[in-house]
Amino acid sequence: MAASKPFFFIAVGCTAALVHLGTAFVLVSLVGVTPGLANVPAFLCAFCVSHAGHSRFSFPSSRRVAHSRWRWLQVSLAAFFLNQGLTLLALHAFPQFWYLAVMAGVAVVVALISYGLGKTWAFAA
């Protein structure tokens, strides 16, 4: 099963990313929220999907779910601040790019960092 954990992390992460980007798209397109502001509730929706999937599939362990949830929340909050900072910076630096493409690129970088922290700390047995 250890060899398949990166697959599950990618699958859960892509699902969470789709929730994140889909929520942002709805908030920007239908509600009229700015992309930078839409990133906040979009992240929170994605966190719920992320923890549920990672605790069940990517990093299953005997550790209590509440314990891993607290640790994953800490990783996710750090990732969120990194994501938000990089998103705002990239939106400003590259206004010619579509906001969802910028957000997706930032998400990939942050996901790599999150994987390492999830594997070695948040969900470690």
Side-chain angles (χ1 to χ4, degrees):
M1 177 95 164
S4 63
K5 286 183 183 181
F7 167 79
F8 286 122
F9 184 85
I10 292 167
V12 170
C14 286
T15 302
L18 287 174
V19 168
H20 188 140
L21 296 175
T23 303
F25 179 78
V26 167
L27 290 172
V28 170
S29 298
L30 301 179
V31 181
V33 176
T34 64
L37 186 59
N39 196 40
V40 176
F43 171 84
L44 295 173
C45 291
F47 170 78
C48 295
V49 171
S50 174
H51 181 266
H54 290 317
S55 64
R56 181 172 171 100
F57 301 110
S58 306
F59 306 110
S61 74
S62 59
R63 181 182 299 273
R64 291 179 315 143
V65 171
H67 187 76
S68 68
R69 184 181 305 119
W70 172 243
R71 285 184 171 200
W72 189 242
L73 178 61
Q74 292 175 63
V75 169
S76 295
L77 285 173
F80 168 74
F81 287 113
L82 179 60
N83 178 297
Q84 184 70 0
L86 289 175
T87 296
L88 293 174
L89 181 66
L91 287 170
H92 179 73
F94 305 106
Q96 70 274 20
F97 292 118
W98 188 36
Y99 71 94
L100 288 180
V102 170
M103 292 171 82
V106 168
V108 169
V109 171
V110 174
L112 293 171
I113 296 166
S114 297
Y115 177 77
L117 291 171
K119 181 178 180 179
T120 61
W121 183 66
F123 294 100

